Amino acid sequence: MRLRNVKNKEDIMNNSNYLVKNYYDFKGNWKELFGNDNPIYIEIGMGKGKFIIENAKMYPDINFIGIEKYDSVIAKGLQKIPDGLNNLFMIRADALDIDEIFFREIDRVYLNFSDPWPKNRHHLRRLSSKIFLDKYENIFKNVEEIFMRTDNRDLYIYSLVSFSENGYKLKKISFDLHHDDMPLITTEYEDKFSKDGLPIYYVECIKDSVQNSK
């Protein structure tokens, strides 16, 4: 994917109240930033932000955090946030650092149209690989929930196997989301793929928290 540069991205990021720059300082205490004890849902690789912004608007009693590693992309997301939305923050970070940012406080993880890393030697870079699932173990508060959607069938099958092998129960599975009567807030990618007639693969999986099983 070729990223278009946003010329004033630094100004957008520096002047936004929704971008958390010192995110390491809130590890284990994100509820203090939000000012409440509401559940926290995160989207890893939020793209331009449509999905997480629309969710934050629809569900005011849930706190949302969007994570994106590219400046230009997150700048576009910041521009879309309406004034007065107090249950959403964004951070510019790499997914590899996820367990350095959160600790036992996340209720749900969204993985939407993640990089499929199609080459065999790159499979462990997938956000549904064991490397990342082990990291997620440290960030979930109680029950672990991962909701994933993708247009890549190989990534989808790989992820179903990975989730199952790592103790997750597959709650909902769809090989063609938009023909299974499952109304959901969409992403920018999703709108494009669906318009082109491509199937969207979807799974909701759940796992009892490690800390609760000890």
Side-chain angles (χ1 to χ4, degrees):
M1 178 183 67
R2 181 176 180 273
L3 298 177
R4 294 184 178 180
N5 186 49
V6 176
K7 293 182 179 179
N8 58 337
K9 61 187 178 185
E10 289 84 5
D11 289 338
I12 295 171
M13 295 171 66
N14 288 333
N15 295 319
S16 175
N17 293 324
Y18 293 99
L19 182 66
V20 181
K21 295 182 178 179
N22 58 328
Y23 45 81
Y24 291 119
D25 295 342
F26 293 100
K27 181 179 179 180
N29 292 292
W30 280 89
K31 65 180 182 180
E32 295 184 4
L33 184 63
F34 285 104
N36 58 58
D37 290 319
N38 292 339
I40 300 177
Y41 294 177
I42 66 173
E43 182 183 12
I44 303 177
M46 67 168 200
K48 298 175 184 177
K50 177 191 174 188
F51 176 84
I52 201 156
I53 292 171
E54 292 302 315
N55 268 282
K57 290 162 60 177
M58 183 173 291
Y59 303 105
D61 293 329
I62 297 174
N63 297 322
F64 293 89
I65 300 174
I67 303 167
E68 177 58 51
K69 66 178 180 179
Y70 297 110
D71 288 352
S72 291
V73 180
I74 203 168
K76 291 181 179 179
L78 291 169
Q79 290 178 300
K80 295 180 180 180
I81 302 177
D83 292 336
L85 197 61
N86 58 10
N87 63 328
L88 170 67
F89 288 105
M90 295 180 178
I91 62 178
R92 195 200 72 74
D94 193 298
L96 284 169
D97 297 328
I98 196 73
D99 52 346
E100 297 298 327
I101 300 171
F102 307 106
F103 180 73
R104 303 296 190 205
E105 55 197 322
I106 302 304
D107 296 273
R108 180 180 296 173
V109 169
Y110 291 106
L111 303 177
N112 294 325
F113 300 93
S114 307
D115 192 328
W117 293 104
K119 295 181 179 180
N120 288 333
R121 66 177 182 272
H122 293 156
H123 279 189
L124 292 179
R125 299 184 187 182
R126 292 177 169 179
L127 296 183
S128 53
S129 70
K130 178 173 174 51
I131 287 178
F132 283 97
L133 294 181
D134 286 347
K135 288 178 176 288
Y136 304 155
E137 292 281 2
N138 295 316
I139 73 172
F140 280 114
K141 181 170 63 176
N142 293 309
V143 175
E144 305 176 22
E145 287 188 342
I146 299 178
F147 287 19
M148 175 185 177
R149 67 184 81 177
T150 180
D151 66 308
N152 188 290
R153 184 182 178 90
D154 289 342
L155 173 61
Y156 183 63
I157 299 300
Y158 170 94
S159 299
L160 294 182
V161 173
S162 182
F163 293 144
S164 297
E165 289 180 345
N166 286 275
Y168 285 86
K169 296 179 181 178
L170 307 181
K171 289 173 53 181
K172 293 183 180 180
I173 295 176
S174 175
F175 283 79
D176 197 351
L177 178 61
H178 294 278
H179 286 86
D180 282 348
D181 193 28
M182 297 173 69
L184 295 166
I185 295 172
T186 60
T187 73
E188 291 91 350
Y189 275 118
E190 192 167 356
D191 293 338
K192 178 182 183 301
F193 295 142
S194 296
K195 184 178 180 180
D196 292 339
L198 299 174
I200 304 300
Y201 305 101
Y202 179 78
V203 61
E204 297 178 10
C205 58
I206 190 170
K207 179 181 180 181
D208 290 333
S209 177
V210 171
Q211 64 175 340
N212 284 342
S213 64
K214 294 181 178 179

